[in-house]
């Protein structure tokens, strides 16, 4: 596990973008795993700048997203399909047909989970998977539970996630209660994982996940068992608890 503590959130985004870009430059048809939420926005802006300056091309890249809300169409303002188009896909040269996100409006969400897993099998191992972390330790929408879901699943969002995400909706009642989420087993198959966490609100859960007990009640704690290369990029606020309790880990 490698820690990088940037000077601020913007620099954390730049550093994360550099790591992602390095993978794409090495393998122009890389499969990159992407995430939504507030945290990766600086990273996406930095990747767009690299594309605009001619430094980076996504022309052969394939992307897979972690999750999507059930019930939101790809054009809904809060769907993750739209988030990805507005914050990355429409602003770089990635072909639309190379971008994969679970459908939130399948008539049969369980069948959609199976379809997504078949697609992941066809694409092969993800070269680098970006992850955020929820306030409750979720990764993708894998919520605290008594087991780790292996494959893509239909999940019920926890109250704390609904509350956290209600900031994006006009009212908490409008936040979907279910989502399709790539399973933990699938996430751990990635060759490399980039965990991005910024802000004071993530300090405690980040420390608990990466140094505490490994338990499905803190889903991100499974990352302690991850066999590939895990890079954790933070800002000073998110890193504060790790810095205080584990001074041997310097980023
Ligand atoms: P955030 O979400 O980036 O908006 O904090 C992270 C997550 O819930 O995984």
């Amino acid at each position: 596990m490698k820690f990088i503590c940037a000077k601020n959130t913007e620099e954390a985004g730049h550093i994360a973008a550099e790591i992602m870009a390095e993978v794409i430059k090495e393998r122009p048809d890389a499969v990159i795993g992407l995430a939504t939420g507030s945290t990766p926005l600086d990273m996406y802006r930095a990747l767009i700048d690299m594309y605009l300056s001619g430094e980076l091309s996504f022309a052969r890249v394939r992307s897979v997203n972690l999750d999507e809300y059930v019930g939101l169409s790809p054009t809904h303002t809060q769907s993750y399909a739209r988030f990805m188009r507005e914050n990355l896909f429409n602003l770089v040269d990635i072909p639309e047909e190379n971008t994969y996100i679970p459908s939130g409006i399948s008539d049969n969400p369980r069948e959609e989970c199976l379809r997504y897993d078949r697609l992941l099998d066809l694409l092969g191992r993800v070269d680098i998977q970006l992850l955020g972390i929820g306030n409750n330790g979720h990764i993708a929408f894998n919520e605290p539970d008594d087991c780790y879901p292996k494959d893509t699943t239909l999940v019920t969002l926890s109250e704390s996630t609904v509350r956290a995400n209600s900031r994006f909706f006009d009212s908490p009642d409008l936040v979907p209660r279910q989502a399709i989420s790539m399973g933990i087993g699938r996430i751990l198959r990635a060759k490399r994982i980039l965990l991005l966490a910024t802000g004071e609100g993530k300090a405690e859960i980040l420390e608990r996940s990466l140094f505490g007990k490994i338990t499905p009640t803190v889903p991100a704690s499974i990352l302690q068992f991850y066999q590939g290369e895990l890079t954790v990029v933070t800002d000073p606020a998110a890193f504060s608890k790790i810095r205080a309790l584990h001074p041997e880990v310097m980023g």
Side-chain angles (χ1 to χ4, degrees):
M1 207 183 298
K2 181 179 170 195
F3 288 92
I4 300 174
C5 179
K7 284 204 295 285
N8 51 44
T9 53
E10 197 185 340
E11 190 185 83
H14 271 93
I15 292 170
E18 291 288 348
I19 293 170
M20 189 66 78
E22 193 186 294
V23 171
I24 296 171
K25 285 176 192 170
E26 201 177 302
R27 187 178 169 204
D29 63 346
V31 180
I32 59 173
L34 300 177
T36 50
S38 309
T39 315
L41 286 172
D42 283 316
M43 185 194 96
Y44 290 142
R45 264 179 232 121
L47 285 173
I48 293 161
D49 287 345
M50 287 179 196
Y51 162 70
L52 292 175
S53 70
E55 187 193 328
L56 188 66
S57 170
F58 295 79
R60 294 173 56 209
V61 165
R62 281 89 41 84
S63 74
V64 288
N65 264 77
L66 290 170
D67 42 23
E68 179 60 284
Y69 287 117
V70 168
L72 300 195
S73 78
T75 53
H76 188 285
T77 49
Q78 294 309 327
S79 75
Y80 288 161
R82 177 139 170 197
F83 174 100
M84 289 310 305
R85 286 200 307 280
E86 289 183 348
N87 291 295
L88 185 69
F89 298 158
N90 286 354
L91 305 167
V92 297
D93 60 344
I94 192 164
E96 197 187 336
E97 62 272 21
N98 284 10
T99 64
Y100 302 98
I101 301 182
S103 167
I105 50 166
S106 163
D107 289 341
N108 185 340
R110 285 181 210 285
E111 182 54 43
E112 174 60 11
C113 294
L114 296 174
R115 186 194 70 84
Y116 205 62
D117 280 339
R118 281 195 296 271
L119 177 77
L120 295 173
D121 285 338
L122 280 176
L123 288 169
R125 285 180 73 195
V126 168
D127 289 285
I128 183 163
Q129 176 67 58
L130 171 70
L131 293 180
I133 182 168
N135 297 325
N136 61 2
H138 72 208
I139 45 178
F141 268 138
N142 296 293
E143 300 283 32
D145 202 346
D146 57 4
C147 64
Y148 294 108
K150 177 166 155 266
D151 292 317
T152 302
T153 44
L154 177 63
V155 296
T156 298
L157 303 185
S158 71
E159 271 313 307
S160 85
T161 298
V162 170
R163 220 177 308 122
N165 290 7
S166 65
R167 69 192 195 276
F168 299 114
F169 291 80
D170 291 337
S171 131
D173 295 342
L174 297 176
V175 184
R177 289 332 202 232
Q178 287 188 307
I180 292 179
S181 176
M182 196 189 285
I184 298 270
R186 296 269 167 189
I187 292 171
L188 296 184
R189 284 178 56 197
K191 293 179 195 165
R192 194 168 169 183
I193 290 179
L194 173 57
L195 176 62
L196 188 54
T198 54
E200 204 184 331
K202 300 292 170 68
E204 192 190 331
I205 194 64
L206 194 64
E207 191 277 332
R208 209 142 60 86
S209 298
L210 300 178
F211 295 89
K213 237 173 39 180
I214 298 166
T215 163
T217 58
V218 183
S221 64
I222 193 79
L223 293 173
Q224 294 182 53
F225 279 151
Y226 177 59
Q227 294 287 312
E229 189 180 343
L230 171 61
T231 308
V232 184
V233 178
T234 72
D235 67 351
F239 194 61
S240 57
K241 188 124 195 227
I242 295 179
R243 194 187 292 279
L245 296 183
H246 310 279
E248 73 284 0
V249 181
M250 275 314 296

